[in-house]
Each structure stands twice: as structure tokens, then as C-alpha cells.
Amino acid sequence: MPENASGGSSSSSSLLIRSKNPRRCQAENPLKLLSEFAGPALALPGVIEGAHHGHADFRVGKRLFETLGYPDEKWGMVKLTPDQQAVLIDAEPGMFRPVPGAWGRSGSTNVKLAKIDQVTLRSALEMAWRNVAPKSLLASLETR
């Protein structure tokens, strides 16, 4: 498991992993923002890129955990549990918000691409990935 800022292990429902000197995704070009969001997702085991309702998405097998450009190019979406969503929104309300409607109530969470730093992004993506990854892939992440 990744280490949190205090040096201990974090779980998928733990608080955000934060760096002391975060590098925010500050690109002027929306395509660069999208690529900064896609890179960490593709680095996770078993992830494939696809499309969902005209937006790029990332999946483990057939299970989606991240969508880019939703509701527009300034945002992404991660598929969290409602508890994980609450933790992220409470910790960073400028970075995260629930997706409107039933999807948001079930944990789907928008991510403001220009506001999020790389460490927090990787933490949120890993939580979303863990929510859909099969046990065999979860074990592979533990050995990384």
C-alpha cells in the first residue's frame, strides 16, 4: 500500500495522500490537463482506455473507474464509494464535487482538473481503481 504523509500505510478509504509541495495540474491547454489525468490511470495494473458516452474512460476489464471531460474538458470523474467521496469533498471542496443526480449519490465524483495536484490525483485514482479491480490485480499492486 502507498504510504501517507505521516509514513503509515493508507487504505482505499483513508484520507488523501498529500505532498508538502504539490504540483498542480496548471496547464493552459485542456488536452494537456486530460493527459495529466490519464497518465496515472494508465500506470495502474490492468487498465485499458475506452470511451463512454463520447468521453475517454479508463477501465479494469469492463468496469469503469475514471472518465475524462465530464461534464466538460475542465473536469474528470472518479467512481468512489459514498464514504470515500465524502472524505475527498470534505478535505478538498475546490477539487472534488459529487456528480449531479443518482450517480453522485452513489459515489461518482467530479474532479476539477486544474485544481488537483498529482499526489492527490494519484490517491483518488487508486481508490477508484481499487473499487473495481479484481483481487488478483489488487495483489499485484501490493507487490509494487
Side-chain angles (χ1 to χ4, degrees), residues 1-124:
M1 283 190 174
E3 288 190 358
N4 63 25
S6 63
S9 292
S10 63
S11 69
S12 63
S13 62
S14 67
L15 292 175
L16 291 173
I17 301 167
R18 298 300 306 248
S19 66
K20 291 182 182 182
N21 220 351
R23 185 184 78 74
R24 301 215 182 266
C25 299
Q26 296 286 340
E28 295 292 323
N29 180 345
L31 291 176
K32 180 146 174 47
L33 284 175
L34 294 177
S35 70
E36 288 182 7
F37 199 66
L42 289 169
L44 293 165
V47 173
I48 57 171
E49 185 173 0
H52 180 75
H53 296 285
H55 303 283
D57 71 28
F58 299 87
R59 303 165 183 257
V60 177
K62 294 182 180 183
R63 300 188 70 192
L64 182 141
F65 71 97
E66 173 194 10
T67 300
L68 294 177
Y70 179 79
D72 61 40
E73 72 278 349
K74 295 177 184 176
W75 294 90
M77 185 282 302
V78 289
K79 189 175 177 183
L80 303 173
T81 67
D83 289 340
Q84 291 167 334
Q85 179 189 69
V87 168
L88 293 180
I89 291 170
D90 286 347
E92 296 291 350
M95 291 182 198
F96 299 99
R97 70 178 188 193
V99 169
W103 287 105
R105 288 189 298 275
S106 68
S108 293
T109 306
N110 281 134
V111 179
K112 182 94 173 184
L113 299 175
K115 296 281 184 182
I116 196 163
D117 61 82
Q118 290 294 309
V119 173
T120 305
L121 172 61
R122 283 186 176 92
S123 178

